[in-house]
Amino acid sequence: GVQPFGSSGSTPHCSRQGLPRSAMSHLARKKLHEYQGWPKGIYPMSDGWTPPGYPGEEELIAYEEKMNSRRKAVLVKRHVCVKDPEYESLSMQESMDKSEYSLICMPLMEGPYSGEGEERTWYLIVYYENSKKGKVERAFKSQGWDISDIEQVPIDPDSGEEWEKELMYGHGAGKYKSVVSEYEYAVCEKGTPEHEDPWGPKFAEGPRWE
């Protein structure tokens, strides 16, 4: 059987010896599946069973302490449209690292606002810390795009989208990235049926898309 803490025995999965008092009291208030590092899924089962390879208490506490100690940068964002050649340059890792910004990139479908090849338009959401504003503006201006008049939107560090929270921690660690959507996007103008339809535009080939 499992002997009580403080005896010569230990729990079946891991030992609590060596943990600081604060960690032990914290541990007593949380179940394993409530820790940040617990793999999402069906476990634990209703009877408490988990696979042998799942993390134990010490590993989960160490992971949570590491995650909680990360710096979360306070970010702002701008919505910008550029053509394909500028997108290729601005989304290079070297450029993002130098000017300290990240990108969410969405290609626009061919139509009134986007063409083929170099005329393809990319809708970008540019994330950066406000203190890096000048560096970001210079990076875009070097590609022929003056974004100084585009609205800068602050992001609430406690209620942003999940990907925005990931970017906050990434920027806090000095890591910048470009995330490219696997879908193309259509521009729906106000007053058109496509704009009023909550499901968006419909396409003849739609039923055959996977």
Side-chain angles (χ1 to χ4, degrees), residues 8 17 34 36 46 61 78 107 124 136-138 164 166 180 185 192 208:
S8 57
Q17 294 178 0
E34 295 175 341
Q36 296 181 45
S46 58
I61 290 174
R78 276 175 165 156
L124 308 179
V136 175
E137 290 180 352
R138 287 192 293 273
E164 291 180 330
E166 291 180 12
V180 182
Y185 291 78
T192 63
R208 296 194 290 272

Side-chain angles (χ1 to χ4, degrees), residues 90 92-102 126-129 131-142 171 176:
L90 290 165
M92 292 179 60
Q93 191 64 50
E94 181 181 359
S95 177
M96 292 187 292
D97 289 343
K98 179 180 179 181
S99 298
E100 301 179 73
Y101 62 85
S102 290
V126 190
Y127 292 88
Y128 55 93
E129 294 180 72
S131 60
K132 317 298 182 184
K133 176 181 176 181
K135 297 178 70 173
V136 175
E137 290 180 352
R138 287 192 293 273
F140 275 77
K141 197 161 189 176
S142 70
H171 280 237
Y176 313 97

Side-chain angles (χ1 to χ4, degrees), residues 76-80 101-104 124-128 136 140 147 153 155 167:
V76 296
K77 62 184 176 182
R78 276 175 165 156
H79 299 261
V80 183
Y101 62 85
S102 290
L103 299 172
I104 301 293
L124 308 179
I125 308 179
V126 190
Y127 292 88
Y128 55 93
V136 175
F140 275 77
I147 65 171
V153 182
I155 301 171
L167 289 174

Side-chain angles (χ1 to χ4, degrees), residues 171-187:
H171 280 237
K175 297 179 180 179
Y176 313 97
K177 65 180 180 178
S178 171
V179 180
V180 182
S181 172
E182 59 184 16
Y183 301 104
E184 288 186 317
Y185 291 78
V187 178

Side-chain angles (χ1 to χ4, degrees), residues 2 73 84 97 158-159 174 184:
V2 179
D84 196 71
D97 289 343
D158 298 317
S159 62
E184 288 186 317

